[in-house]
Amino acid sequence: MPFLNPGGHDFASNYNLDGWGILQIIVDVVYTLLLLVLCGILWTQRNHPIIRMRKIPMAIAAVLVLHVYLFLVLIVYPLNGHFPCNAEFWIMSIYLPFGMGLFQAQNQQLLLISRGQQSLLTKDSYKPLPQGKTRRQYWWNRFVIWCESSKEQDAFEGLIAVGMLVQFLGSLLIYLISRKFNAYGIVSEGTTPVLCRRGWEWAPSIIWQAAWNFIAGPYLLWKIRMIRDIYNWRLQTTLAILAGLPGTPLWLAAVYSDKINGVSKYWNPAMWFLPGMITMQMITIVSPLWELYKGKKRAEILDQDLKAFDKKQRNGIAGANVSVTTTSTKTKGSGSSRVPMKSMEECLEGNGLEWMAFFHFCTTKTFNGENLVFLDKCIKFKTEWRKLFGSRKGSYDAIRLQMFRTAVHIYLTLIWKTAKYPINIPSHISRDLALLFQDAATRVAASRPAITRSGSNVTPWDEPADPFSAGDHPLRPMLRRSIDKGSATELITEFDLSVTNDPSDPLFNYDVPSTFDDRCFDAAFESIKHMMWEQPFQDFMKSKRHSGASSTNA
């Protein structure tokens, strides 16, 4: 059996089961199985903080839609024309541009996360719950909530969805009117299998694919040019977008130029998209898994360091292998240097400048600023609790209800499904908090209008126009930090401790659970504090040391 059939892809009656054809089938099957395994692994890890931020469902959808195209392209040569022209038209018109569109939408996640993180301190909002007396009203309210959300986050995805719809309708119209694909068309003429695959009918599919790659892609590269994250996400996005650029001009040359017909007999024109597509798929799937692997290795090193340190402390041995200072914990052989938990606790409770520097690092490089906001709110929640109950201003029930309202707001904005950036806590802690706050949170979120325009004294659960305004509503955070002319200042909001008698208040006459106290967030606080100390704070201090060394050398 020859490796290459002399006729190549010549639309003859025989299948191309030569060495080249069999190799393509093997590569197709093996790569498909590998990709499915990697997608399965990624899906099982989708709730890990490093993975969750990347919008994994859309990433996998983009990869699989592109793979349908890739799989079919790799069997074109072995089939040798035993593949209907109209089926190839739909593959080119739907799977390729749709896959590219989903891919570009998923790439926007880096930009959206970056923008959203930067608004954590200035936009303390939560998503309302859709309500409706009828099914139609419920779904209408869901649509209204999505439209409101799209103004902030998902406008580009909406644009891509519209583009996909236009692409489908345009392809359907071309399919119906062209005689190349059916007998009842009104334009073009029925022709040979070779000529069927050429002509104006194929232009829209390549135009849309080119639009995603040559307009949406470079536009995104421009928007993310200033992002410097520690996960190399920007680099990965850049490489994936650039990988998709060469395919279109190479396909055009192969289809409309006779000079490379000899190559096209064995490497059909559509295969020019494959190198870029495989690169895009591997970057999209493998990159987050690699970051997850690195994170777990670092956690293992940390665990070994702490165990070695605890063992030396218990044995009363110091010096040789473990040195403890106020700035780091080192273990011989591990090559690691850990800043102790006490340093992060001092950062959280102390100097506002240090906190703001850490917060800036979390929102621009690690993209987990919501965790730091949660820690800050918990600290201030306890501080306010002690202050109010110590001052004895107002009745016990009024103070307790006020603190419960504040706790519900923390739950809505940072923990529950209404949070735009929910923190990642163990399921048993989440269940305990749900038992305590979910009923009240449901009432509050369901009472909030789908579209929020400005603050209102009538509906105190809405967001005020100015987050730092004097008329802050009761559920705003108790303390914010800002930097003014290089100095740290604290902005403290006054609270109305009176129990409202307004029946429209979602917590009107609400019975505060007897288990509610100032320790309600302790378990979540400890979990998030350890998570933030384990990697983000270590990276932050490492960055500070590097920047300090750079400035000294300069």
Side-chain angles (χ1 to χ4, degrees), residues 129 252 296 410:
L129 292 179
L252 289 171
K296 288 186 175 181
I410 295 174

Side-chain angles (χ1 to χ4, degrees), residues 361-378:
F361 181 87
C362 291
T363 54
T364 59
K365 296 188 181 298
T366 61
F367 302 136
N368 52 10
E370 69 277 1
N371 292 332
L372 192 55
V373 173
F374 174 75
L375 295 178
D376 186 58
K377 286 189 177 185
C378 288

Side-chain angles (χ1 to χ4, degrees), residues 252-547:
L252 289 171
V255 170
Y256 294 103
S257 174
D258 295 330
K259 295 181 178 181
I260 56 174
N261 283 345
V263 176
S264 297
K265 288 198 306 181
Y266 302 101
W267 185 276
N268 69 79
M271 290 181 69
W272 289 109
F273 290 110
L274 299 194
M277 288 173 57
I278 292 174
T279 303
M280 292 159 59
Q281 288 178 323
M282 288 293 100
I283 289 176
T284 303
I285 298 298
V286 175
S287 295
L289 291 177
W290 175 247
E291 294 298 331
L292 179 62
Y293 170 77
K294 290 198 301 183
K296 288 186 175 181
K297 290 296 291 183
R298 295 182 61 174
E300 290 176 3
I301 293 174
L302 171 63
D303 187 57
Q304 293 172 3
D305 289 353
L306 294 179
K307 287 180 178 178
F309 175 70
D310 290 340
K311 182 178 179 180
K312 297 299 181 182
Q313 288 291 90
R314 287 194 300 269
N315 295 337
I317 301 175
N321 294 327
V322 179
S323 63
V324 181
T325 69
T326 58
T327 58
S328 65
T329 300
K330 295 184 179 180
T331 303
K332 183 178 179 180
S334 70
S336 65
S337 178
R338 290 284 164 180
V339 180
M341 177 71 76
K342 183 178 179 181
S343 296
M344 193 180 82
E345 292 172 346
E346 292 173 352
C347 174
L348 293 176
E349 300 178 4
N351 187 343
L353 282 173
E354 183 80 359
W355 188 93
M356 284 302 295
F358 186 28
F359 179 77
H360 181 265
F361 181 87
C362 291
T363 54
T364 59
K365 296 188 181 298
T366 61
F367 302 136
N368 52 10
E370 69 277 1
N371 292 332
L372 192 55
V373 173
F374 174 75
L375 295 178
D376 186 58
K377 286 189 177 185
C378 288
I379 292 172
K380 301 311 175 292
F381 174 81
K382 283 202 165 190
T383 301
E384 193 72 8
W385 182 288
R386 292 191 295 268
K387 183 179 101 175
L388 294 178
F389 279 99
S391 65
R392 301 186 181 277
K393 292 182 180 179
S395 68
Y396 174 84
D397 290 338
I399 295 175
R400 198 162 182 271
L401 177 58
Q402 179 55 54
M403 296 309 300
F404 182 75
R405 288 160 68 96
T406 304
V408 168
H409 187 64
I410 295 174
Y411 184 73
L412 280 166
T413 56
L414 290 165
I415 299 174
W416 201 32
K417 61 184 179 181
T418 51
K420 293 184 177 179
Y421 295 97
I423 61 175
N424 191 63
I425 53 178
S427 58
H428 68 279
I429 298 178
S430 180
R431 285 195 299 269
D432 292 343
L433 291 175
L435 290 174
L436 192 58
F437 297 117
Q438 188 166 317
D439 177 64
T442 301
R443 297 190 186 193
V444 174
S447 69
R448 180 181 176 186
I451 298 180
T452 304
R453 293 179 176 85
S454 63
S456 171
N457 294 326
V458 179
T459 56
W461 300 90
D462 293 351
E463 296 178 67
D466 180 1
F468 295 120
S469 64
D472 230 354
H473 67 77
L475 294 189
R476 298 302 288 176
M478 288 165 292
L479 184 141
R480 299 295 187 101
R481 292 182 173 93
S482 69
I483 297 180
D484 181 19
K485 296 181 180 178
S487 63
T489 60
E490 294 182 337
L491 302 179
I492 302 176
T493 301
E494 296 295 333
F495 289 92
D496 179 9
L497 299 181
S498 61
V499 178
T500 177
N501 293 317
D502 184 359
S504 64
D505 187 334
L507 293 186
F508 175 68
N509 283 340
Y510 189 82
D511 292 329
V512 178
S514 59
T515 54
F516 172 70
D517 57 22
D518 62 332
R519 298 169 297 177
C520 58
F521 293 117
D522 281 5
F525 180 86
E526 291 300 323
S527 175
I528 295 299
K529 184 175 74 169
H530 182 81
M531 182 192 305
M532 293 297 287
W533 171 72
E534 186 178 273
Q535 181 170 348
F537 191 69
Q538 307 300 327
D539 292 332
F540 168 64
M541 296 303 292
K542 182 179 179 181
S543 174
K544 283 187 62 178
R545 288 194 295 266
H546 286 174
S547 61

